[in-house]
Amino acid sequence: MTTATRQNSLTSEDPQSAPVYAQVVFNLPLKEGFTYGIPEHLQGQVRVGTRVLAPFGPRKITGYVVGLTDHCEGDFEIKLIQDLPDGAPVISEELLTLTRWVADYYNAGWGEVIKAALPGGIDEDHHEIFVLTDKGEAALQQHSLPQNSLKILLVLQSKTSLNKKQIEKILRKQFSAYALAQLVRDDYVSAQVKIKQKSVAYTTDKKVCLTLDHHTPEEIEKLLKRSPKQRELFELLTGKETLLSDLSKTLPGYSAPLRELKRKGLAETVAVKQERTATDETDPEWNAEAPQVFTEEQQTVFKQLARSITASEFKTFLLHGVTGSGKTEVYMRAIQQALDIGKTSIMLVPEISLTPQTVNRFQRRFGSNVAILHSGLTNIERYLEWKKIREEKVSIVVGARSAVFAPFKNLGVLIIDEEHDTSYKQDSVPRYHARETAIQRAQSCGAVVILGSATPSLESRRKTTTGEFEYLTLEERIGDRLLPVIRIVDMRKERDEAKNYSIFSIPLKQAMMDRLEQKEQMFLFLNRRGTANYVVCRKCGFVFECLRCSVSLTFHGNSKTLRCHYCDFSVSMPGKCVECSGEIIRFSGFGTQKLEEETQALFPKARIKRMDRDTMKTRGSFENIYNEMRAGDIDILIGTQMITKGHHFPNVTLVGVVYADLSLHIPDFRSSERTFQLLTQVAGRAGRGKIPGTVIVQAHNPDHYVFDYVPQHDYNGFFEKELSLREKLNYPPFTQLVALEIESETEPEGEAAVNHLKQFLSEPVKQSPGVELLGPSPAAMYRINNRFRWHLILRSHETAPLQSLVTECLANQQLRKLTTGKIKITVDVDPMNLL
């Protein structure tokens, strides 16, 4: 039995005392660390930050050492660490401290955060295999169990052994994880753990060597006499061992001769495991691109940043610069300032902005001194980039959210571009925010944080008024370029007065024709994919909805399918209504696919491309679009929010926002803020060259206050208006929120669980001044992938009482019983999405 003693401080090993116990955490939703014994043959090798293979219940899984000690309290059997996958720690003590803070603040398991901080694929893969027992066979014969349990037993009887995903795939909606867990507990099914000893950190190969001990020279000569190819291979291998991968280059067609040498007992192959090495990709002919000349505004901003970077002074700056004002050049000069004093830098950008354009710009300036970390890399590529960072072969990282954990030493500056972007908040466990994590990391190592945006989040902007952040501004575009002219078009008047029922307003259509004649490029923005956002029967009003989620299915014309954008359920488009057999099916609403079709019909000679999740599926998709836009081979680029950030195309002079109020309809208190940010960002793509830009915004509800500030690019006016509304409603940034989400397989069980949770929290909330309990209420997206969802919200002006309540809640034994099988409780601290 392992002990669940929580490790409250990191204890480094002392070589003199040779610690015999290790505190280990696992990639599991557990707050506790567990004490393991260090076997004699591993003593001195187990260090803080190393990965270990250790028994946990019936399994043997990967854990992380977070502390070492010479003694263990309590009288119980101590299990021993079984293996060390690596020869050195994979995570530093500085990052262990940071991951501990993330785990505590965001209510995640420490091991879960460490796992998120390491490159994907580094751990050995393990999964449970389920096998029917004799007791299960007997239960099948007697039909003595509930139907959902019997169905699982029947599947295992026919397939011998399966993992959980395979059983779920066969049974679909009839599968119950809770029933499977009960079958294992009651010994009707046995669970066996299988480990794939495979990791991106290593590559496996085979070496070939000769086996001459059992043959005399005369026997060898006789065996090779009539085989010239075997002799050639034999002579090549004489006196050395060769890897098969190298042999294929030296002697193509070696397979048949090698097979014969092995058959004759003259050679053998042995499996070998090698650590992957990060290559140095320095180009001897590379010359650094010269920095751009600063404007007076940029110079003023940079002086303040450079002062703090040089002094190794922790400080957080909010750089509020309009689109095209040269924020990226300021970032690169700040990074160079850190390099000049021997420090390293992390540059975070939203995944959507991590375009080839962004990456190329940094590589042109800093060459091979840049590592790139994002989800488009394979596990092996990501590991090799991570290893370059750890081995100090590079000093700069450009990456998405998880790059905040880059294993740098001597960190000088952390930059978060587009700091307002919601993708910096992870939507799965651990639900950390990269911005807050970066600030915490910088504080611990005396680094500077630069938060940049043309539309800062209200939380960050308000902190500049309270003194927590320093406020820097860039109010003018570089090169004396003007901000684009923005025109709001009332689509109600288009329909009622001009009798125009097209997707395109008359002004947008005319502007597009003018740009095509001038051979200029344009963006059309619509933040919704597909051809029609829902399909309805005109006879009975039936709407085709997802069978697993509480949303309508979106019609995709290219594949003639109805698809759910939440669980990816899809079905072929039926020829008639499934409810009344009516044959008139109406397509309502539209997405980017329909917009592309309408644009092509209106401008048949135009070169049109679409950029959304449906078209950007391959690794080279972004780069192809980028190159075509740069070459002028695209006239009109249609897209979702993928086209709103990270792009600098000087020949784009028109941006059309087709349905500007779409994001205003989202039931979230941040919907107005996000709409303003989205419109300002996409408008910023226009007029970045010598020709001034124009933006035409089509709105069905132009009376909303957001549209009072968009045409004038008036962020400060919007900030004051939105801030006053938030204060009246007691929403962030004036309060802190913690969302408790309850998921269940059935509605009655979920409802009972959420009411039980509310009842438990009600008394502690009453005793916590300033804390409110809101709800419970069904989530806006009530059902996703056959699971029903409820929300409870805790609200307070301070973080500490919320954290205390959540910790007390999760530690309660009665509530912990609820979270097995059919019920799941998720904690989201500072939630960005309440759908």
Side-chain angles (χ1 to χ4, degrees), residues 424-445:
Y424 284 126
K425 180 70 154 62
Q426 182 152 302
D427 58 6
S428 59
V429 176
R431 295 171 182 259
Y432 69 93
H433 199 301
R435 181 183 61 212
E436 309 309 319
T437 306
I439 291 170
Q440 181 67 25
R441 183 172 186 184
Q443 188 172 10
S444 69
C445 56

